[in-house]
Amino acid sequence: MNGEPYSRTHCHRLNQHGNATLAALGGVAVGVILVLLTWLVVLMTKDDPAPAPQSAPAAVASVPVSVTTRTVAPKPAVKGTSNSAPAVGDVRSLPGGLFCRDLNAKGYSYVAAIDYWRLHGQPNQMDADRNGIPCETVYSRSDVAAYWNGREVSGVVFWSSGLFCRDLAARGASYAEAVRYWWYYGMPDRMDADKNGIPCETVYSSANVNAFWYP
C-alpha cells in the first residue's frame, strides 16, 4: 500500500521534468530560427542597396544679352544719273518707226542702224530703193562700204566679180544694185574712174545717180 503512492508521485515528477526540457529546447530552436532570419535579412539588404536619390539638374542661369541697334542713313541719290541708260549702239530700247536720219541724229553708228533695221523687220522707209542695203544715203559711204564689203545681202544674188558698170547695166541691174555690187566687192576703181566715191555715174543717167545719192 505504501509503495503505490510513491511510484505515482515519482512518475508525475518525471513528466514535469520532461515537459520543462522540451519547452527549453523549443525556445532555443525558436531563438535560432529568429537569428537565422535576421541574418538573411541583413544579407539581402547588404547585396541590394537602395538607389541613391538623383539630384535635380541645376537650373541654368539666363544671362541677359545686350543688343546694340545702329541706324544707317541712306545715301542721297545723285540726280541726273541713271544706271539703266542704254549705251550708244544698243537700239533695243528705241521705239519703232524711226528713219535713218533719226538714228544718225541720235549718234548711232551705221552698224547700230543695221541692227535697228533688222530688229523691226527691215522696213522700207529705211531702204527706199529696196536694194537690201539701208541708210546708204544717210551715213558716209566709207561706213556703208566697210560694213557691206564681202558681206552677203539677204535675198540678193550677186553677179560674179570683175564686172564693169556697163556689164551690170547690160544685165538689167538698177543703179542701186550697181552701187551695192561696188560696195560688195570692195569699191574697185574700175567702177569709179574719177575716185569721187560715186560709181557708174557715166553709165547710168544723172537722174538715177542723183536720186540715189541726193534723195
Side-chain angles (χ1 to χ4, degrees):
M1 296 278 305
N2 293 333
E4 184 177 354
Y6 174 78
S7 59
R8 289 180 179 178
T9 302
H10 181 71
C11 290
H12 179 70
R13 290 179 178 176
L14 289 176
N15 289 334
Q16 289 180 349
H17 182 71
N19 291 334
T21 301
L22 291 175
L25 291 175
V28 171
V30 171
V32 171
I33 291 173
L34 291 176
V35 170
L36 291 174
L37 290 175
T38 303
W39 181 67
L40 289 174
V41 170
V42 171
L43 288 179
M44 292 176 65
T45 305
K46 184 177 181 181
D47 292 339
D48 189 14
Q54 296 181 356
S55 60
V60 179
S62 60
V63 179
V65 179
S66 60
V67 178
T68 303
T69 304
R70 297 179 60 186
T71 302
V72 180
K75 295 182 179 180
V78 180
K79 296 182 179 180
T81 60
S82 175
N83 294 331
S84 60
V88 175
D90 186 0
V91 297
R92 291 173 296 180
S93 61
L94 295 177
L98 298 181
F99 289 83
C100 296
R101 61 178 178 270
D102 300 326
L103 298 173
N104 190 20
K106 293 178 180 295
Y108 287 94
S109 65
Y110 182 71
V111 176
I114 295 294
D115 293 339
Y116 179 89
W117 176 64
R118 288 174 174 163
L119 179 64
H120 292 280
Q122 302 180 2
N124 292 332
Q125 67 188 24
M126 297 180 67
D127 184 19
D129 55 8
R130 316 290 196 276
N131 69 340
I133 299 179
C135 305
E136 67 259 47
T137 60
V138 175
Y139 288 87
S140 67
R141 299 166 193 171
S142 59
D143 290 343
V144 177
Y147 182 87
W148 292 107
N149 184 16
R151 190 186 299 269
E152 183 179 356
V153 180
S154 177
V156 177
V157 178
F158 283 102
W159 295 281
S160 60
S161 62
L163 299 180
F164 289 83
C165 294
R166 61 179 179 269
D167 300 325
L168 297 175
R171 285 169 169 76
S174 65
Y175 182 72
E177 291 173 336
V179 174
R180 183 183 61 203
Y181 179 92
W182 178 63
W183 276 328
Y184 184 81
Y185 287 109
M187 298 183 294
D189 291 340
R190 69 177 183 275
M191 297 180 66
D192 184 18
D194 57 4
K195 299 180 179 58
N196 67 343
I198 299 178
C200 304
E201 55 193 322
T202 60
V203 174
Y204 289 86
S205 66
S206 299
N208 289 332
V209 174
N210 292 332
F212 181 87
W213 294 110
Y214 312 106

